[in-house]
Amino acid sequence: PRQPAKTLWYDRPRYVYLEFCVEDSSDVRVVFEDQRLVFSCKNADGVEFYNEINLYARVNSKDSREKRSDRSIMCFMRKWKEKVAWPRITKENIKPAWLSVDFDNWRDWEGDEEVERAMVEQYAEV
């Protein structure tokens, strides 16, 4: 049986970030579509994780990426309309139990574009 992975998200001027919290993941698949994201993987115990998110707004699927680490899979999706805040990640105004705001990374956008550019470049290097 599949189960959803615990997921954190936060919003930035150009990108929306999602972190799927699965340690020691394998068979990671992330499909970026213009209005949807599909994530699946297995953990070390063979448990299958699957998340499907109908996105709040359109993203540029060609300029969206993921980066796997030992502890999680980080996705950053390029917003179609930059500098437009997303009040939530989901199209529907319903908050699934597995989805939370990443308050450690949530902050006001004031002067944030340089920080964001550096983060994206750091991910892109891998």
Side-chain angles (χ1 to χ4, degrees):
R2 299 189 302 189
Q3 66 185 51
K6 178 181 182 235
T7 308
L8 300 172
W9 82 281
Y10 59 100
D11 187 32
R12 284 290 189 276
R14 293 182 184 189
Y15 289 86
V16 176
Y17 296 83
L18 275 165
E19 183 176 15
F20 295 100
C21 303
V22 180
E23 290 188 19
D24 302 323
S25 59
S26 63
D27 300 337
V28 174
R29 275 197 69 224
V30 179
V31 179
F32 297 103
E33 297 174 3
D34 289 348
Q35 294 258 197
R36 191 169 80 120
L37 172 104
V38 179
F39 166 81
S40 64
C41 76
K42 291 180 183 169
N43 69 6
D45 298 326
V47 176
E48 288 186 41
F49 293 91
Y50 179 86
N51 298 62
E52 187 173 323
I53 300 171
N54 290 315
L55 298 168
Y56 173 77
R58 193 169 171 203
V59 296
N60 181 342
S61 56
K62 305 271 183 274
D63 192 19
S64 299
R65 304 200 179 349
E66 80 275 352
K67 179 183 179 227
R68 185 193 161 282
S69 71
D70 292 343
R71 303 194 61 189
S72 66
I73 298 88
M74 190 75 183
C75 300
F76 45 107
M77 297 177 290
R78 182 75 176 254
K79 292 179 177 180
W80 199 257
K81 291 183 181 163
E82 294 185 4
K83 299 182 182 166
V84 175
W86 287 24
R88 60 184 184 272
I89 190 82
T90 56
K91 183 176 183 139
E92 306 81 19
N93 194 4
I94 307 164
K95 186 184 153 317
W98 48 266
L99 182 64
S100 304
V101 170
D102 183 349
F103 287 107
D104 290 343
N105 285 302
W106 194 276
R107 63 173 80 87
D108 288 335
W109 288 359
E110 215 53 47
D112 215 27
E113 288 188 41
E114 288 305 313
V115 173
E116 183 181 33
R117 191 171 296 121
M119 282 177 62
V120 169
E121 286 171 6
Q122 172 193 335
Y123 284 126
E125 287 171 11
V126 174

